[in-house]
């Protein structure tokens, strides 16, 4: 073989060997790069999946937030509606309270006026009575009502329901007071002690018991006020309570004497109170 050919062959063999070595290195580099790219791709996929899961979670939270907002808005609207209704109710309640206050003030004014009139009536009566009369006449004002209590031994003949002459002057003074105060009703009320009536006495003829005696005594005073002193009979009422309205015990003579009495009770007319009731505010 020629020397030149041998050299050429050797050169080609060396070139092939160099080329083979270079290709293997590139292949290894490619494989390494491929593994890196594959790892990066896998990481990207995992990050994408995590991002999608996060987005889904956020969307669910957003939906819940929207639902909570809608519920809160509904509650707020309902609260505003209730508040508006409550304001109307409160306004009505305030109006009712104001009406009630006006009515109470009216009642206070009426009571004050009534108390003043009662005081004037009582003072006028007591000033007109003598000291001797005041020993047997008791005048009181209780709960807006004037009570004039007269002892039976001053008014009536002994053991009778007929009025004696000594009572005439006192009854005339009381009649004047009654006539002056035309807006008052007058109840004449007879009372006795618990001693049974002596039905055998001539003056007690046809009287069965203390009921009869107390009622007849009250009737005698009513008729005297009407017939002798001109008091309007429409304002007068006669009633007997017998022994059942004592002011003290009947176990002593002094107590029995106090219980044997006739009361002249002066009160405002009933229709005036009914007028006040008509003016009372109506509660819904």
């Amino acid at each position: 073989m020629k020397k030149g050919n041998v050299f050429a062959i050797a050169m080609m063999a060396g070139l092939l060997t160099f080329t083979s070595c270079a290709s293997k290195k590139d292949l290894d580099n490619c494989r390494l790069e491929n593994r890196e790219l594959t790892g990066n791709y896998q990481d990207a996929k995992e990050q994408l999946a995590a991002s999608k899961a996060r987005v889904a979670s956020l969307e669910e939270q957003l939906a819940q937030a929207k639902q909570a907002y809608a519920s809160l808005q509904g509650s707020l609207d309902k609260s505003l509606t209730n508040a508006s209704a409550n304001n109307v109710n409160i306004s009505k309640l305030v109006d009712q309270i104001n009406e009630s206050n006006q009515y109470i003030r009216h009642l206070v004014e009426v009571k004050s006026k009534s108390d003043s009139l009662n005081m004037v009536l009582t003072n006028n009566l007591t000033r007109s009575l003598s000291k001797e009369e005041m020993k047997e006449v008791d005048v009181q004002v209780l709960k807006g009502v004037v009570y004039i209590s007269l002892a039976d031994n001053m008014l009536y003949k002994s053991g009778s329901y007929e009025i004696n002459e000594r009572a005439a002057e006192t009854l005339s003074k009381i009649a004047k007071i009654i006539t002056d105060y035309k807006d008052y009703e007058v109840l004449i009320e007879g009372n006795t002690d618990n001693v049974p009536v002596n039905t055998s006495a001539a003056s007690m003829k046809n009287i069965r018991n203390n009921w009869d005696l107390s009622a007849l005594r009250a009737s005698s005073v009513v008729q005297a006020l009407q017939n002798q002193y001109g008091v309007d009979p429409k304002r007068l009422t006669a009633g007997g309570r017998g022994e059942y309205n004592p002011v003290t015990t009947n176990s002593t003579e002094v107590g029995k004497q106090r219980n044997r009495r006739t009361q002249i009770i002066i009160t405002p007319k009933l229709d005036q109170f009914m007028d006040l009731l008509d003016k009372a505010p109506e509660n819904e």
Side-chain angles (χ1 to χ4, degrees), residues 236-253:
L236 300 173
T237 301
R241 303 193 67 175
E243 63 197 70
Y244 301 105
N245 185 37
V247 292
T248 187
T249 178
N250 281 303
S251 60
T252 65
E253 287 303 319

Side-chain angles (χ1 to χ4, degrees), residues 209-228:
N209 48 42
N210 283 327
W211 277 114
D212 286 349
L213 179 59
S214 64
L216 285 169
R217 283 181 168 176
S219 178
S220 294
V221 174
V222 164
Q223 293 181 64
L225 292 173
Q226 174 189 355
N227 298 328
Q228 298 177 34

Side-chain angles (χ1 to χ4, degrees), residues 2-195:
K2 292 182 179 181
K3 185 177 180 180
N5 291 335
V6 172
F7 178 77
I9 293 171
M11 286 290 291
M12 291 185 64
L15 181 60
L16 289 172
T17 300
F18 177 77
T19 303
S20 175
C21 290
S23 297
K24 184 178 180 180
K25 185 177 180 180
D26 291 340
L27 181 60
D28 290 339
N29 289 335
C30 287
R31 287 175 177 173
L32 179 61
E33 185 177 354
N34 183 58
R35 282 196 298 272
E36 290 178 355
L37 291 174
T38 301
N40 292 338
Y41 172 72
Q42 190 64 33
D43 290 343
K45 279 183 67 176
E46 291 176 357
Q47 290 178 8
L48 179 60
S51 297
K52 288 182 177 180
R54 178 63 177 166
V55 169
S57 175
L58 291 174
E59 288 178 345
E60 183 179 355
Q61 292 179 22
L62 178 60
Q64 292 176 354
K66 287 182 177 180
Q67 184 177 0
Y69 173 78
S71 176
L72 181 61
Q73 186 66 43
S75 298
L76 180 60
D77 291 342
K78 185 176 181 180
S79 298
L80 291 174
T81 302
N82 291 337
S84 178
N86 288 336
N87 286 336
V88 173
N89 292 334
I90 291 172
S91 178
K92 290 183 179 179
L93 181 60
V94 169
D95 290 341
Q96 291 177 3
I97 291 173
N98 289 335
E99 290 180 4
S100 298
N101 288 337
Q102 290 177 359
Y103 178 61
I104 291 171
R105 285 194 294 270
H106 179 64
L107 286 181
V108 170
E109 291 174 0
V110 170
K111 183 180 183 304
S112 177
K113 181 180 178 180
S114 176
D115 290 344
S116 299
L117 288 173
N118 288 341
M119 188 61 64
V120 173
L121 184 156
T122 303
N123 290 338
N124 289 344
L125 176 61
T126 53
R127 281 200 300 267
S128 68
L129 297 174
S130 66
K131 291 183 179 180
E132 291 301 318
E133 289 174 319
M134 287 299 298
K135 293 179 182 179
E136 297 178 297
V137 178
D138 181 40
V139 182
Q140 296 184 37
V141 178
L142 299 174
K143 296 181 179 180
V145 178
V146 179
Y147 292 84
I148 305 170
S149 185
L150 305 159
D152 72 327
N153 58 354
M154 183 199 77
L155 274 176
Y156 311 106
K157 295 179 182 179
S158 179
S160 171
Y161 56 84
E162 294 182 9
I163 295 176
N164 62 36
E165 295 177 358
R166 190 162 68 93
E169 185 176 354
T170 302
L171 284 179
S172 67
K173 295 175 181 178
I174 295 174
K176 184 179 185 309
I177 295 295
I178 294 173
T179 302
D180 289 342
Y181 291 86
K182 300 182 184 300
D183 292 330
Y184 287 78
E185 302 283 3
V186 183
L187 168 64
I188 313 300
E189 183 182 271
N191 297 270
T192 69
D193 58 24
N194 64 347
V195 178

